[in-house]
Amino acid sequence: MNRTAILIAAGLSLSASLHAIPAQALTTRTFIASFGTDTGGCGRAAPCRTLTYAYGQTSPGGEINILDAAGFGTLNITGSISIISNGTAGILVPSGGTGITINAGASDAVNLRGLNIEGAGVGAIGIQFLSGKSLVVENCVARNLAFSGLVFIPSSLSLTALSVSNSYFLDNAANGILVQTGGSGPVTAVIDRVVFYDNGFAGLNVFGTSGTGLLVVTVTDSVAGNNVNGSNGTGFLIQSTVGHSVSNLAVTHSVAHGNSFGISAFGANATVRVAQSTVMGNVTGYSASSSGVILSYGDNYIDANTGNTGTLGSALKQ
């Protein structure tokens, strides 16, 4: 065999051996840390450094565990995942950008726990959910965003669900949380023990005007305070109109204090039901306008507001 043939044969043998090396298997549980490096499989003994790299090493339905305090970059989620931190993990949102974007499949569930998302006044959105089956947010903080802390706007034909608990949405230019229909599928949201403070447009904004699917949001044991922007700023807001989503908001055992508007229902198909809650110290305590409806179960404390707008209806206890 001549030299050329030997080299070709050697090259083919090397190529075959390289292709025979299996790709690194994804694992159910990965780890990231401030001292990690983006190499390998992100095991606990050798954690990685960024969310994006660790996500690429995690099998669908698995979890990323964050071991210490640091900034770990932004992330685009396309499938089921849990991201778990003890409350010290940071995400610094770039100018005009989004911290965590969720573009997942119809059967994918996403869970986020213990994240601190900082917009520094220039990052646009903390968490944005565009598609997926469900999103659970626990023990998180989203603050200083140029738009909103959490935007939940699915365009699905089937039911999509949001759960937020033990979290803070602070100092955002527009909304603490925006729950919005984008299609004909129903949307449900459960919000429990959440603080909305010093947001420019609304602490919680339930917006049914851009879709047609049924929109149902319940809030309990939560506080909306100091959401003020000139004459605007609402603690708990719901909006819809004729031909768009029938939108319902229930506020129970919660507080609206120091806002431009404590509780507001604007437009046809927008209804708020209020029970065992305090609406106090707002410029306008409650506002029902443009056919929006606010119903009280008769066990609320609505006092010491400068005034109210519209009619406060009665809801019957069962």
Side-chain angles (χ1 to χ4, degrees), residues 14 44 51 59 80 91 97 99 101 103 113-114 123 134 137 159 161 189 198 224 255 257 285 288 292 311 315 318:
L14 176 60
R44 186 178 183 90
L51 282 167
S59 58
S80 294
I91 295 175
T101 302
N103 277 299
R113 185 193 307 168
S134 63
V137 178
L159 174 67
D198 200 28
V255 175
H257 178 269
T311 301
Q318 303 300 313

Side-chain angles (χ1 to χ4, degrees), residues 132-252:
K133 178 183 178 181
S134 63
L135 170 63
V136 175
V137 178
E138 304 173 76
N139 302 325
C140 290
V141 177
R143 63 188 300 270
N144 287 330
L145 279 307
F147 180 53
S148 298
L150 167 61
V151 175
F152 190 83
I153 179 172
S155 55
S156 174
L157 300 178
S158 57
L159 174 67
T160 312
L162 169 68
S163 173
V164 185
S165 61
N166 298 314
S167 296
Y168 291 79
F169 297 86
L170 317 170
D171 304 310
N172 301 298
N175 307 288
I177 296 178
L178 171 62
V179 181
Q180 182 173 343
T181 52
S184 59
V187 174
T188 66
V190 177
I191 296 169
D192 181 33
R193 300 184 304 279
V194 171
V195 174
F196 306 96
Y197 186 79
D198 200 28
N199 300 285
F201 187 74
L204 171 65
N205 185 358
V206 180
F207 191 81
T209 302
S210 60
T212 57
L214 178 66
L215 178 55
V216 179
V217 180
T218 60
V219 178
T220 187
D221 293 310
S222 297
V223 176
N226 200 42
N227 297 286
V228 176
N229 182 8
S231 60
N232 294 315
T234 304
F236 301 105
L237 169 65
I238 187 167
Q239 306 174 76
S240 194
T241 191
V242 174
H244 289 277
S245 296
V246 174
S247 303
N248 293 279
L249 171 62
V251 179
T252 304

Side-chain angles (χ1 to χ4, degrees), residues 70-109:
F72 296 100
T74 61
L75 180 62
N76 183 38
I77 295 173
T78 57
S80 294
I81 194 73
S82 293
I83 301 175
I84 300 170
S85 167
N86 63 5
T88 60
I91 295 175
L92 181 61
V93 184
S95 179
T98 299
I100 294 179
T101 302
I102 301 161
N103 277 299
S107 61
D108 291 328

